[in-house]
Amino acid sequence: MAHQWSDRGFSTRCVHAGTFEDTLAGGVNTPIFASSAFQVPGPLGTVVYPRYQNIPGQKAVAEKIAALENGEAGMVVASGMAAISSVFLALCQAGDHVVLQRDLYGGTLALARKELPRRGIEVSWVDSENPEDFAAAVRPHTRLIYVETPSNPLLKILDLEALAREARSRGVFTVVDNTFATPINQNPLDLGIDIVVHSGTKYLNGHSDLCCGAVVARSDLLQAVGSAVSLYGPSLSPYDCFLLERGLKTLALRMARHNENAMAVATFLAKNPRVERVFYPGLADHPGHAVAARQMRGFGGMLSFEPRGDTETAHSVMRRLKLFKPAVSLGGVESLACFPVETSHASVPPAEREKMGIRETLIRLSVGIEDVEDLITDLDDALQAVGEPKP
Ligand SMILES: Cc1ncc(COP(=O)(O)O)c(C=O)c1O
């Protein structure tokens, strides 16, 4: 069980938790179990089938993620959106009401704006980082509160312990997308949150070569999510389980470097006269810094900033970047840059984006594990596009 790992360090859990013992050949890695047909009755003592989330590769990597999140049980699925939509499908039905933070990944926003109402689920949005504002949005038929912290793309921080307390006292489930923080930096379940979801496509895998997702929760809640996954079918293939498990072995090491590099990059940008605003929870003047310092062990590898000047200037800065590749997605070993208005939040109507505070000039960086001096030089060169800063 995942909780047996709680007295071991995160690096140890990354390497060892969940590994399926190869008693046939003595290999140290979980073998790739490439079967979709398993004998009945078989040695595992149950009906085994990939869509039921119980082939050994799925169970091994799910247990590793659960161990890292200090959760009772975990599950891996075919994408982050599969994890998120399965939670809504499992816990909500027509007539229910859900409360969502407004600053969320664009795909989650689209799901809540288009799909949930189509299924008769009512949605309220909260434009604040104050847990009491989430509590105030709760109604008698509210089923769950859904948030991201740090959020995508403005790195807003929510006090998870206070949010969980408010929600519990009202009998409402809480769900946190922990993709940006990763379990190395933050464990929402320890703060009283009910369910954690991940886009494993990002830091968990860490090498930008795989799409997957994960859910971690109490066993009874996870069973409900598992039923939805079995019926709707977004299962993860044994080959992808192998890749994800391999990536996870270095998660703690990678996150230490991501944290360090992003802090240095944010500090450089914050001092740079060619930069208008920087969003990084590790900076002392970030509005969520005190809460982040309390509930996170590191501030993560994601940050956003606005160069001074207009949209054309911001595009010139982007074009000059050499090491930071202009790309969607995040959380890999390589540094990436994107305009959220063109990528993660392209599906959000402009008026709503404006309300969220996402400007056309906002550049989001996924700071990789390269030598940080090289990353800073790359940004410094690109920012020359802004011209001479006004005194
Ligand atoms: C914070 C966050 N959550 C969820 C997702 C969705 O994950 P996936 O693309 O693996 O479905 C993303 C994707 O960018 C994300 O950034």
Side-chain angles (χ1 to χ4, degrees), residues 79-82 84 105 108 148 152 177 179-180 199-202 211-212 329-330 364:
S79 67
M81 284 312 298
I84 294 164
Y105 166 61
T108 313
E148 275 175 27
N152 183 0
D177 183 333
T179 299
F180 270 32
S199 168
T201 316
K202 316 298 193 275
C211 186
C212 62
S329 202
L330 60 106
R364 191 190 73 184

Side-chain angles (χ1 to χ4, degrees), residues 193-258:
I193 295 299
D194 295 303
I195 300 179
V196 165
V197 291
H198 278 281
S199 168
T201 316
K202 316 298 193 275
Y203 289 105
L204 297 188
N205 177 57
H207 295 77
S208 305
D209 54 7
L210 162 65
C211 186
C212 62
V215 185
V216 184
R218 275 198 330 257
S219 300
D220 59 327
L221 281 179
L222 201 80
Q223 218 169 351
V225 180
S227 298
V229 171
S230 293
L231 290 175
Y232 287 86
S235 62
L236 194 63
S237 87
Y239 308 102
D240 287 344
C241 289
F242 167 76
L243 277 179
L244 176 58
E245 192 176 347
R246 186 166 72 170
L248 276 163
K249 290 187 183 187
T250 56
L251 179 66
L253 268 180
R254 286 186 280 110
M255 288 318 297
R257 183 64 165 249
H258 284 297

